Amino acid sequence: MQIPVHKAAELKPKPDQAKLGFGRFFTDHMFVMEYRENQGWHQARIVPYAPLQLDPAALVFHYAQAVFEGMKAFRSPEGKVLLFRPEQNMRRLNRSNERMCIPAFDEQFMLGAIKKLVALEKDWIPTESGTSLYIRPFIIATDAVLGVRASSSYKFVVILSPVGPYYPEGINPISIHVECRYVRAVRGGTGSAKAAGNYAGGLKAQENSKKEGHAQVLWLDALEQKYVEEVGAMNVFFNLGGELVTPDLGDTILPGVTRDSVIKLLRSWNIPVVERRLSMDEVAAAQREGRLAEAFGCGTAAVISPIGKLSWQGTTIKIGGGKIGAVSRRLYDTITGIQNGVLPDQFQWTVDAES
Ligand SMILES: *Cc1c(COP(=O)(O)O)cnc(C)c1O
């Protein structure tokens, strides 16, 4: 499939790199592709960034049949355009599709399309420390019909946004509310898919926790509300006496690319890491015994987000004396170093968008 490029007649001014924030500015072009039964995925093209025109009855507006991805492009010191493990995002998007009854796409083709779009927009990749070009692929159901069923037509769109460091004030440990009322995902549900509706369902808990001065919520398992699952839209790790513990994957946990990278790095450093069930009781006991050395969330947006305290059932569990832990720091520096092309890429995680 060829990808024609319709160039924008006028290019937008680039935003100030010091004031990017997250996902507020968008580049000059976007990728669009259509799906129709009998035709499959077709009409791939790169066009000027513009609003989409959709029928108000389009299924996505009513029943949230939609999936998305989040990845980043970086500019190396030699001027190369680097993507970080993008094949993982393509694979995960097709897994999300499978769960949400959206037809699969050709991963090789889409990776090529994303490289082409990013290469076209490379002047938008910011270069200041902690900045990058965020890539947001998403797929929406477009049949204009109010029946609750899988759509027979879809739109696949990729937009790009230059972003600043997730925490502009630097990576300081954040305060987390352990959510004991609302749940994010349950066995048999859609928690392991990057499905749009999952995030709308999480807003209420997030708003409540913000009101109480917390940055994020820590989600517990939906059945017993005992076991740690994720923190906001990040996976979570606890350092218990030198052993890193993260919840094992299942229906309810999003398999993060950052999570997988953290596990691979820890193993390469001979730091013990285990994937298993971890209860809040165990976390609290570890803290009482002085073994809770550090805790952090991890994901593409923030990379590593240290947790400074957990508010749980009226008690406060303090972690790491308000400072970023040594393992968290080393992971942050290593992952961002590899992503930016300033550290050796021993796992061959980076992909040159222009080759
Ligand atoms: C995207 C996401 C993550 C992190 O995944 P990465 O691939 O590391 O960015 C974790 N949890 C949830 C719920 C997510 O949506």
Side-chain angles (χ1 to χ4, degrees):
M1 203 178 348
Q2 294 295 322
I3 307 175
V5 179
H6 305 284
K7 287 233 171 111
E10 261 179 71
L11 301 185
K12 302 179 224 180
K14 308 279 188 295
D16 179 349
Q17 283 202 30
K19 295 183 188 144
L20 289 173
F22 190 84
R24 296 164 51 230
F25 299 97
F26 299 95
T27 68
D28 294 306
H29 300 90
M30 62 185 186
F31 169 89
V32 189
M33 174 167 79
E34 314 293 330
Y35 180 91
R36 224 171 269 290
E37 251 164 27
N38 312 322
Q39 282 177 280
W41 287 108
H42 64 286
Q43 213 185 327
R45 64 235 190 239
I46 290 172
V47 294
Y49 186 95
L52 300 173
Q53 204 170 44
L54 292 171
D55 194 292
L59 279 171
V60 64
F61 295 136
H62 306 276
Y63 312 121
Q65 197 193 3
V67 293
F68 69 96
E69 268 304 325
M71 51 213 278
K72 282 173 170 174
F74 306 84
R75 194 78 95 107
S76 81
E78 306 89 61
K80 276 196 203 161
V81 177
L82 300 178
L83 303 176
F84 185 73
R85 308 187 73 187
E87 72 292 342
Q88 300 290 322
N89 297 86
M90 296 297 99
R91 198 159 91 196
R92 185 171 68 190
L93 189 53
N94 260 339
R95 288 218 196 100
S96 299
N97 279 344
E98 206 278 325
R99 180 65 183 82
M100 303 309 288
C101 300
I102 297 173
F105 59 87
D106 182 324
E107 294 170 24
Q108 284 296 331
F109 170 79
M110 265 316 296
L111 182 50
I114 288 174
K115 283 173 156 186
K116 186 167 177 159
L117 178 65
V118 170
L120 174 71
E121 302 286 61
K122 69 175 175 185
D123 290 346
W124 281 88
I125 306 176
T127 49
E128 292 285 308
S129 164
T131 66
S132 58
L133 186 67
Y134 187 80
I135 306 168
R136 170 52 60 87
F138 62 102
I139 304 174
I140 54 174
T142 54
D143 276 8
V145 55
L146 295 181
V148 180
R149 59 157 173 80
S151 189
S152 67
S153 63
Y154 298 87
K155 216 180 251 301
F156 192 142
V157 185
V158 183
I159 55 175
L160 308 177
S161 173
V163 298
Y166 200 76
Y167 298 106
E169 37 337 309
I171 42 171
N172 299 313
I174 54 174
S175 169
I176 298 289
H177 170 74
V178 181
E179 181 58 50
C180 294
R181 177 168 178 205
Y182 299 107
V183 298
R184 189 191 87 89
V186 70
R187 192 174 69 208
T190 58
S192 62
K194 245 176 148 67
N198 290 345
Y199 303 83
L203 295 176
K204 190 76 187 166
Q206 192 183 313
E207 280 205 348
N208 288 348
S209 76
K210 284 250 155 72
K211 274 183 214 144
E212 294 183 8
H214 305 291
Q216 283 292 350
V217 301
L218 184 119
W219 296 107
L220 298 177
D221 76 281
L223 298 178
E224 297 175 73
Q225 298 211 281
K226 266 178 79 168
Y227 300 97
V228 168
E229 298 222 312
E230 298 204 53
V231 51
M234 293 183 283
N235 296 113
V236 66
F237 285 76
F238 291 83
N239 180 344
L240 304 180
E243 180 181 72
L244 277 287
V245 182
T246 191
D248 48 342
L249 296 177
D251 276 1
T252 59
I253 294 186
L254 199 288
V257 178
T258 318
R259 175 187 182 279
D260 183 72
S261 307
V262 164
I263 291 172
K264 290 194 162 73
L265 281 171
L266 291 171
R267 293 214 168 113
S268 78
W269 297 335
N270 293 316
I271 294 177
V273 52
V274 290
E275 299 169 69
R276 64 164 171 88
R277 281 220 299 198
L278 174 64
S279 69
M280 272 309 296
D281 286 324
E282 187 182 341
V283 170
Q287 193 245 11
R288 283 195 302 273
E289 295 157 12
R291 292 188 300 112
L292 179 53
E294 49 194 309
F296 59 88
C298 67
T300 297
V303 188
I304 299 290
S305 186
I307 298 171
K309 55 183 177 192
L310 295 167
S311 149
W312 178 52
Q313 295 179 336
T315 65
T316 298
I317 301 174
K318 292 204 170 135
I319 308 170
K323 288 209 269 302
I324 178 169
V327 176
S328 311
R329 177 93 246 170
R330 187 173 177 197
L331 285 164
Y332 180 85
D333 290 344
T334 306
I335 294 171
T336 56
I338 293 172
Q339 289 176 329
N340 285 287
V342 299
L343 285 182
D345 180 13
Q346 61 178 128
F347 299 97
Q348 281 150 335
W349 279 338
T350 59
V351 171
D352 188 331
E354 293 171 300
S355 68

